[in-house]
Amino acid sequence: MFLKIFTVLLIIVTFVNTSKVTFNGHRVYKVIPNNDNEKEVIINTQKQGIGELWLDQFDVRDGVRITVAPEKNQQFLDTMNKNDIEYKEVIADLQQVIDDQLKSASRSDRSTSFLSFDWDRYHTLDEIYNWLDQLQVNYPNIVTTVVMGRSVENREIKGIKINYNPNRNTTLIGMIEGTLHAREWIVPATATWIIKEFLTSTDPEMKALAKNIEWHIFPVVNPDGYVYTFTTHRMWRKNRSTRNFTSCASTGVDDDMSNGVDLNRNFDFAWMEVGASDNPCTNTFAGPFALSEPEARAVADYVLTLNNQGRLIYYFGLHSYTQLIVVPYSHITAEESAKLINYADMYEIAVRGAEKLKERFGTEYRVGVSADIMYPMSGTSFDWVKNVTDVPVSFLIELRDLGEYGFLLPASQIIPNNLEIMDALLEIDRTTRRLGYYYSGTNNLISSLTLIVFSIFVKLFVN
Ligand SMILES: [Zn+2]
């Protein structure tokens, strides 16, 4: 009897879990709080079930987007008006924008296709993984497919290694990690483009960047979440761990929200110090303990292995949106970071990258520590990598856009986004080389000497 009831319950739960979440008639507003009181009101609208915030953390002046169901719309407007909070409708029908994003870009936006893969639309996990497998078949001497681990739902976390010169003496290693956050679809579209460029570009500088470094590129390190954004919930961010399932009634969101850990809060550096939540019903739930999630452990183990195999020179964690190159560390200020790590050099490298990026289409990226340009946070992968290895350059890059479409960036922007990012990567590499990091680690002599000469120069000039 008990077993029967259990089976029925299981079927119901399974059914509930797999029914697709739709957003027909849901509006998206951008709300801008001018002070902490107004910010509190906005946070409370989510607690009261009036709307769902796109970000758990936001600045007083920057504002945040909030999705509001049709039956809650009047209540939302009343709350905003009563409290004199600035708001603007930015999407009239969220489902329409989600559906549009699945369409291909217009023919004029298509320019490239490589091994039956293209960048005029977004791809499913299967398509991406099949393509990675094809690369190994087509470039057997250069490309190796790598599985770094498995997800909560036992999916492979698949990437590739690109190595043009397996017999070199010292191996410089670069790693690109994509899609820790499921809904950031522009990320795998960028990571796959970088792979294509490294394999097919005829530009001498691009070829040099591909060949000087052994690249490890993982377009989707959160495969369960990514699949879930296609099958069930387009706005899903976390992994799909069910271990912390609980009622989310007091948070004002669906209970399913507790089925997931924010992988970019789960790493074992300053874990849960700031900008992370111990509430499973939030988007920034850091997990029950550091590295509790198999996806985060897979990344961590893989990085440690790479760090033993050669000299890690680049770590790039790709995210969207807000157009930023974020420099470590995320839980402290720039001044505090500068005392601990080569912050000044990383900042310069990032600024040069952002300047070069802007030249092509005028797209502006901001540079700095997370606390200055976004919000303080902790337990992130790129901070952890910076802390645990001697990697000179570790960035978190937030891709397009500034929030017009946010996670729902139209497919027509994939290629422009990718072109400007490649410009930035090349400039980042030029600057890194100029600062001497190809030849030594973080505490390198050339950089210290430059700094000393520069200080002397400044002193003379000031006097
Ligand atoms: Zn992200």
Side-chain angles (χ1 to χ4, degrees):
M1 184 60 185
F2 176 75
L3 195 70
K4 261 190 184 166
I5 293 172
F6 181 74
T7 312
V8 170
L9 277 175
L10 195 72
I11 290 167
I12 291 170
V13 167
T14 311
F15 177 73
V16 168
N17 272 346
T18 51
S19 63
K20 191 158 186 156
V21 180
T22 55
F23 298 92
N24 292 313
H26 286 56
R27 289 180 169 85
V28 177
Y29 292 96
K30 185 178 182 185
V31 283
I32 307 163
N34 286 313
N35 54 51
D36 286 336
N37 273 350
E38 295 186 5
K39 188 175 162 183
E40 198 57 37
V41 172
I42 291 165
I43 292 169
N44 279 332
T45 55
Q46 172 161 299
K47 287 187 182 153
Q48 293 157 2
I50 298 171
E52 198 172 324
L53 296 167
W54 282 34
L55 306 165
D56 281 342
Q57 295 159 290
F58 52 95
D59 256 355
V60 162
R61 50 188 157 49
D62 284 349
V64 65
R65 307 180 124 216
I66 183 165
T67 304
V68 180
E71 64 274 16
K72 300 283 182 185
N73 194 50
Q74 197 53 51
Q75 205 183 343
F76 170 78
L77 295 177
D78 291 347
T79 310
M80 293 303 111
N81 291 331
K82 197 174 78 193
N83 292 283
D84 245 346
I85 296 172
E86 243 180 279
Y87 64 88
K88 186 182 160 206
E89 183 185 299
V90 285
I91 295 175
D93 183 350
L94 181 56
Q95 191 59 45
Q96 187 65 49
V97 179
I98 290 173
D99 294 343
D100 285 350
Q101 203 199 20
L102 281 165
K103 293 177 192 157
S104 294
S106 70
R107 196 161 281 279
S108 62
D109 293 323
R110 299 177 194 179
S111 58
T112 327
S113 159
F114 173 50
L115 293 175
S116 70
F117 201 83
D118 43 53
W119 287 266
D120 63 347
R121 65 187 178 90
Y122 293 99
H123 291 273
T124 63
L125 185 74
D126 283 345
E127 289 171 335
I128 294 168
Y129 279 8
N130 287 337
W131 184 70
L132 295 178
D133 289 338
Q134 276 188 60
L135 294 177
Q136 181 174 250
V137 173
N138 284 272
Y139 295 84
N141 300 320
I142 302 166
V143 172
T144 316
T145 311
V146 188
V147 175
M148 68 152 71
R150 284 182 175 269
S151 64
V152 168
E153 293 175 349
N154 205 31
R155 288 190 176 87
E156 289 181 332
I157 303 171
K158 191 183 282 190
I160 62 163
K161 175 169 94 171
I162 301 176
N163 189 344
Y164 280 90
N165 182 13
N167 300 320
R168 64 186 116 202
N169 289 331
T170 14
T171 308
L172 288 177
I173 295 174
M175 177 153 166
I176 299 175
E177 152 241 289
T179 327
L180 270 179
H181 291 147
R183 61 193 175 183
E184 299 164 3
W185 282 11
I186 185 62
V187 167
T190 306
T192 49
W193 179 273
I194 296 170
I195 292 171
K196 172 189 79 85
E197 289 296 289
F198 284 171
L199 293 174
T200 64
S201 175
T202 52
D203 174 73
E205 276 199 293
M206 189 80 76
K207 282 165 80 171
L209 180 58
K211 290 178 179 177
N212 286 338
I213 288 164
E214 179 185 290
W215 286 100
H216 296 253
I217 304 177
F218 291 82
V220 186
V221 295
N222 175 9
D224 299 348
Y226 190 64
V227 167
Y228 201 63
T229 62
F230 280 83
T231 60
T232 313
H233 193 316
R234 174 63 189 87
M235 302 304 279
W236 192 258
R237 166 181 166 104
K238 303 186 282 182
N239 77 348
R240 289 296 299 163
S241 167
T242 55
R243 176 160 55 167
N244 313 286
F245 183 78
T246 183
S247 164
C248 293
S250 63
T251 317
V253 293
D254 195 272
D255 292 350
D256 182 50
M257 178 58 108
S258 65
N259 287 321
V261 170
D262 182 347
L263 295 174
N264 211 29
R265 299 292 183 279
N266 192 236
F267 284 78
D268 194 9
F269 177 58
W271 181 78
M272 268 302 288
E273 271 190 24
V274 63
S277 174
D278 58 4
N279 179 356
C281 300
T282 64
N283 260 322
T284 48
F285 175 50
F289 50 90
L291 291 177
S292 58
E293 304 310 298
E295 296 89 351
R297 282 200 304 276
V299 172
D301 290 346
Y302 196 79
V303 167
L304 292 178
T305 306
L306 289 185
N307 197 41
N308 284 330
Q309 285 171 355
R311 196 158 62 76
L312 202 56
I313 185 165
Y314 293 124
Y315 190 88
F316 300 124
L318 302 182
H319 290 258
S320 78
Y321 59 96
T322 42
Q323 298 172 194
L324 309 170
I325 302 177
V326 187
V327 178
Y329 289 124
S330 304
H331 62 302
I332 53 178
T333 64
E335 291 73 24
E336 289 165 334
S337 285
K339 288 176 196 158
L340 300 172
I341 49 177
N342 60 333
Y343 176 81
D345 281 356
M346 280 192 289
Y347 184 82
E348 181 180 349
I349 292 164
V351 165
R352 302 270 180 229
E355 280 170 355
K356 184 55 80 177
L357 185 152
K358 189 181 171 185
E359 281 176 22
R360 190 181 284 261
F361 300 115
T363 312
E364 297 209 27
Y365 273 56
R366 289 181 297 143
V367 171
V369 292
S370 190
D372 286 342
I373 56 175
M374 199 160 37
Y375 40 70
M377 57 182 181
S378 58
T380 69
S381 63
F382 83 117
D383 283 331
W384 177 86
V385 173
K386 181 65 189 172
N387 179 245
V388 85
T389 72
D390 203 25
V391 68
V393 180
S394 182
F395 293 152
L396 182 157
I397 302 176
E398 296 273 2
L399 303 167
R400 285 194 186 194
D401 55 10
L402 287 173
E404 187 186 0
Y405 293 98
F407 308 116
L408 307 173
L409 194 72
S412 57
Q413 290 201 38
I414 296 173
I415 289 175
N417 169 85
N418 293 350
L419 291 172
E420 67 195 10
I421 281 295
M422 290 316 301
D423 293 343
L425 282 187
L426 286 177
E427 189 64 24
I428 282 170
D429 184 60
R430 279 181 212 115
T431 314
T432 303
R433 253 183 295 145
R434 183 166 58 73
L435 292 174
Y437 286 113
Y438 263 47
Y439 307 103
S440 57
T442 310
N443 306 312
N444 74 85
L445 187 66
I446 297 170
S447 179
S448 312
L449 284 177
T450 310
L451 203 66
I452 291 164
V453 171
F454 182 71
S455 325
I456 293 169
F457 177 79
V458 167
K459 270 182 193 154
L460 286 175
F461 184 76
V462 169
N463 291 337

